Amino acid sequence: APHNGHFYIILAYGFIAYSIFMFLFFRKRKYTTWREYMLVVPLLLLFSVNTLLIDFRACLVLTLIISLYDFESKKRGKVNERIN
């Protein structure tokens, strides 16, 4: 198995799965600022350097941080819609 998350997903699951994974996990959400997005950049670097998907604990931490980031973005979006 390659020691790079990008190659691991492409070789194991294909390019379509890789594109979907990258879009779901590492995209910038609509209601987040670039400053808040900077919290995701170290996760992307760790994913690039090492395979976070194979280590269950690291994958769990990655999933929790990304889900919290997504939840905060959606919550902020609902507040902005109520104000307008």
Side-chain angles (χ1 to χ4, degrees):
H3 295 286
N4 182 323
H6 302 283
F7 292 139
Y8 178 77
I9 292 179
I10 290 171
L11 293 175
Y13 304 106
F15 191 74
I16 295 172
Y18 170 74
S19 301
I20 292 170
F21 178 82
M22 294 302 288
F23 177 76
L24 290 177
F25 273 81
F26 298 111
R27 68 185 160 99
K28 184 183 175 303
R29 275 37 176 205
K30 184 176 180 180
Y31 294 104
T32 56
T33 63
W34 284 104
R35 184 177 182 192
E36 294 167 342
Y37 185 71
M38 287 299 134
L39 297 173
V40 178
V41 171
L43 297 174
L44 179 61
L45 293 175
L46 287 173
F47 179 75
S48 298
V49 171
N50 199 356
T51 307
L52 286 176
L53 300 175
I54 294 174
D55 184 16
F56 178 71
R57 293 174 300 224
C59 185
L60 183 61
V61 169
L62 172 72
T63 306
L64 289 174
I65 290 174
I66 295 294
S67 63
L68 177 65
Y69 168 70
D70 191 40
F71 176 74
E72 290 294 323
S73 174
K74 288 180 182 177
K75 188 170 75 172
R76 185 173 298 115
K78 288 181 182 178
V79 169
N80 287 344
E81 289 173 2
R82 287 183 194 156
I83 292 173
N84 294 332

